[in-house]
Amino acid sequence: MAPNTLLKGFSSDKARAQRVTAAASPRGSWLDRWLETVSDLARLKERHPMLDAVIDEIDGRRIRIGDHWLYDFASCNYLGLDLDDTVIQSVLPYLEKWGTHPSWSRLLGSPVIYEEIEAKLTKLLGAEDVLALPTITHIHMSVIPILAGSGTIFLDGRAHKTIYDGCQVARHHGAKVKKFRHDDPDHLQELMSADGSKTKLICMDGVNSMTGNAPDLRQFASIARDHGALLYIDDAHGFGVIGERGSGELCDYGMRGNGIVKHFGESYENVVLVAGLSKSFSSLLAFIACPTQLKDMLKIAAPPYLYSGPSPIASLATTLAGLEVNEVRGDQLRADLHRKTNTVLTCLEKLGIATPNRSGFPIVEIPLADHQDVDEVGGYLFKRGIYATLAAYPLVPKNEVGFRIQVTAANKDDQIAHLVTVLEEVADKFTLQNPSKVARWSGG
Ligand SMILES: Cc1ncc(COP(=O)(O)O)c(C=O)c1O
């Protein structure tokens, strides 16, 4: 069944609105010209049932779109804290005390909750200090240009779009940007040795949002130190999932969810860690772990601290509650997440389905042999009640087109079992990518 057929009914209002807009705009208008420039994306949005969907209702990790229920394998709430009773119940007392939103700029004043959050995060991460801002995007756009100055940024070739955009802002402020091959310390070393800048900044992801893999942080931190450079790492998907290793760990993700630096037993010398609470901790807040002197300077120099609104009180409350849950039973949640992810990865291995995931972390990309199959595969998953992230062209290169499964601790075992059945069907009906080809683009 074609995805458009599946969408019939619940998308008709949207389609009607689009037709009305098109009819009302005179030919050759700015809107027509602009729409033409983004036609690839417009076609993509039109074709895929799992893009820009309106979710009418949720029930745990089940979602309803129109009259169709699906299991949600696209959520980044890895620990399931969005559905956790302790976290949900934490909100009201804070709202009663603080109202819904502190509309001061943070430079003018912040509720004391921020102090508590920054202190708790500093302790969890084992860092010198932490500065909280609303989102990681705010941090990349404002902090990367400040740290790079007129020096050189060494940017991982597959860095997240928001890191890339932060580097573009830095370029406009006078920095040079040099790209190194994804996850290739030798190439980075080569470029850094040939560069004469006094200020050098290396920008890259921690756990990669597409492949689910993490770089060997020890190598990259060591290169940064050897060159007197700073390693700037975005661990949006690792924070809360992976953490320090030790004899008490319940699984390979490690303990405490304190992120990639601790996971590799590294220190914060020449390393700043950026991560968010909007994935594992289900709250709209992000942070940079850095020396106190840098934090104090960023309060003045980083525009969002003065010019952007703060996070809502509900998110500050759920951050604190989430950090408490993490302390008490985070490791059990991570062990459960590990077990469920392992079931999916074992199924793929048995079926000979290629995935770039070599880490066992809960992001599992499944690339297609023919990028043109993505409509049909997306439609099939949708019909069979699996909601996944479609990685379609032009959002990714044609050889990386496929779909991504994200597992969370809140996905029930029967949902995982159904996913496994559907993956078997997909492997039977469609041609998936060759494992050796996948290893090449994923740095494996
Ligand atoms: C690796 C990575 N960095 C940054 C972001 C953006 O985070 P935020 O929504 O906090 O700006 C995302 C969002 O998905 C991400 O995956």
Side-chain angles (χ1 to χ4, degrees):
M1 194 189 306
N4 283 346
T5 321
L6 291 164
L7 280 169
K8 243 185 190 159
F10 52 80
S11 77
S12 57
D13 287 350
K14 200 160 130 189
R16 207 175 306 122
Q18 277 168 350
R19 276 199 302 277
V20 170
T21 313
S25 65
R27 285 197 69 73
S29 72
W30 67 269
L31 185 58
D32 288 336
R33 285 194 298 277
W34 180 78
L35 286 174
E36 185 51 37
T37 64
V38 291
S39 57
D40 271 349
L41 287 173
R43 263 194 300 278
L44 178 68
K45 186 160 157 338
E46 187 60 12
R47 281 200 316 251
H48 291 291
M50 294 192 281
L51 269 184
D52 199 24
V54 176
I55 317 285
D56 291 296
E57 189 182 349
I58 69 163
D59 171 19
R61 279 288 179 268
R62 291 170 72 229
I63 59 176
R64 181 171 66 77
I65 299 177
D67 56 7
H68 191 56
W69 280 95
L70 303 106
Y71 294 151
D72 177 9
F73 287 101
S75 166
C76 291
N77 285 299
Y78 298 114
L79 300 181
L81 296 185
D82 55 320
L83 303 168
D84 189 287
D85 233 28
T86 313
V87 176
I88 293 169
Q89 299 304 329
S90 72
V91 175
L92 194 56
Y94 279 93
L95 293 189
E96 283 169 351
K97 201 163 166 191
W98 290 97
T100 57
H101 192 247
S103 291
W104 304 294
S105 146
R106 283 213 62 199
L107 192 61
L108 295 187
S110 301
V112 67
I113 318 170
Y114 272 102
E115 295 288 305
E116 287 174 51
I117 289 172
E118 289 178 352
K120 275 190 193 298
L121 285 172
T122 301
K123 191 163 166 234
L124 174 64
L125 297 165
E128 183 178 323
D129 216 331
V130 160
L131 176 68
L133 285 167
T135 68
I136 298 179
T137 306
H138 281 97
I139 295 175
H140 291 339
M141 295 298 168
S142 59
V143 175
I144 292 176
I146 291 169
L147 294 177
S150 55
T152 305
I153 300 174
F154 299 88
L155 173 64
D156 183 290
R158 294 182 63 97
H160 191 262
K161 173 82 169 93
T162 53
I163 306 179
Y164 177 87
D165 286 349
C167 293
Q168 292 309 310
V169 177
R171 197 202 295 265
H172 285 288
H173 286 262
K176 291 180 284 301
V177 179
K178 296 184 178 173
K179 272 195 186 176
F180 63 95
R181 281 189 295 274
H182 172 57
D183 201 13
D184 187 340
D186 294 337
H187 191 214
L188 172 64
Q189 177 86 271
E190 198 184 301
L191 291 179
M192 290 189 83
S193 300
D195 188 277
S197 300
K198 249 170 58 190
T199 303
K200 292 179 180 161
L201 184 68
I202 304 164
C203 290
M204 59 193 294
D205 292 76
V207 173
N208 188 280
S209 59
M210 290 274 300
T211 65
N213 297 326
D216 181 347
L217 203 78
R218 287 168 297 229
Q219 287 194 52
F220 288 95
S222 155
I223 293 174
R225 288 174 198 133
D226 287 349
H227 290 267
L230 179 63
L231 176 60
Y232 178 101
I233 190 137
D234 171 350
D235 200 26
H237 294 270
F239 179 62
V241 174
I242 60 171
E244 64 196 57
R245 310 300 306 266
S247 54
E249 68 186 23
L250 303 179
C251 69
D252 292 346
Y253 294 173
M255 299 177 289
R256 304 182 70 208
N258 48 8
I260 188 165
V261 177
K262 287 286 162 187
H263 188 70
F264 280 97
E266 265 298 336
S267 79
Y268 291 92
E269 194 192 333
N270 295 54
V271 175
V272 293
L273 176 75
V274 174
L277 286 296
S278 73
K279 301 202 183 324
S280 283
F281 287 87
S282 314
S283 310
L284 188 74
L285 192 67
F287 65 82
I288 173 165
C290 62
T292 306
Q293 280 179 305
L294 176 58
K295 170 179 173 171
D296 289 342
M297 193 275 288
L298 290 176
K299 286 185 171 186
I300 311 292
Y305 200 76
L306 170 61
Y307 295 104
S308 301
S311 295
I313 292 292
S315 273
L316 302 180
T318 53
T319 296
L320 274 181
L323 289 170
E324 267 165 48
V325 170
N326 183 51
E327 221 171 287
V328 178
R329 52 189 157 89
D331 286 347
Q332 278 100 311
L333 291 171
R334 278 179 281 278
D336 194 35
L337 177 63
H338 178 270
R339 179 181 63 79
K340 287 167 177 166
T341 305
N342 195 41
T343 305
V344 176
L345 288 169
T346 307
C347 150
L348 296 186
E349 200 179 337
K350 252 202 264 155
L351 293 170
I353 298 179
T355 171
N357 185 313
R358 287 171 283 114
S359 63
F361 302 153
I363 301 172
V364 183
E365 179 81 14
I366 300 170
L368 308 178
D370 181 351
H371 70 95
Q372 289 177 340
D373 281 353
V374 74
D375 288 358
E376 243 192 295
V377 172
Y380 189 80
L381 291 170
F382 192 89
K383 187 176 75 166
R384 297 288 289 120
I386 297 294
Y387 199 80
T389 303
L390 291 184
Y393 177 79
L395 298 179
V396 298
K398 287 181 178 163
N399 67 324
E400 295 177 21
V401 163
F403 61 97
R404 184 158 68 248
I405 299 297
Q406 267 143 226
V407 184
T408 73
N411 286 111
K412 300 256 192 290
D413 284 329
D414 64 327
Q415 297 174 2
I416 302 281
H418 180 65
L419 171 67
V420 165
T421 304
V422 174
L423 288 173
E424 285 166 2
E425 293 166 7
V426 167
D428 192 42
K429 288 180 189 309
F430 301 95
T431 315
L432 303 171
Q433 227 180 78
N434 177 301
S436 61
K437 213 169 146 195
V438 174
R440 240 176 288 139
W441 63 259
S442 67

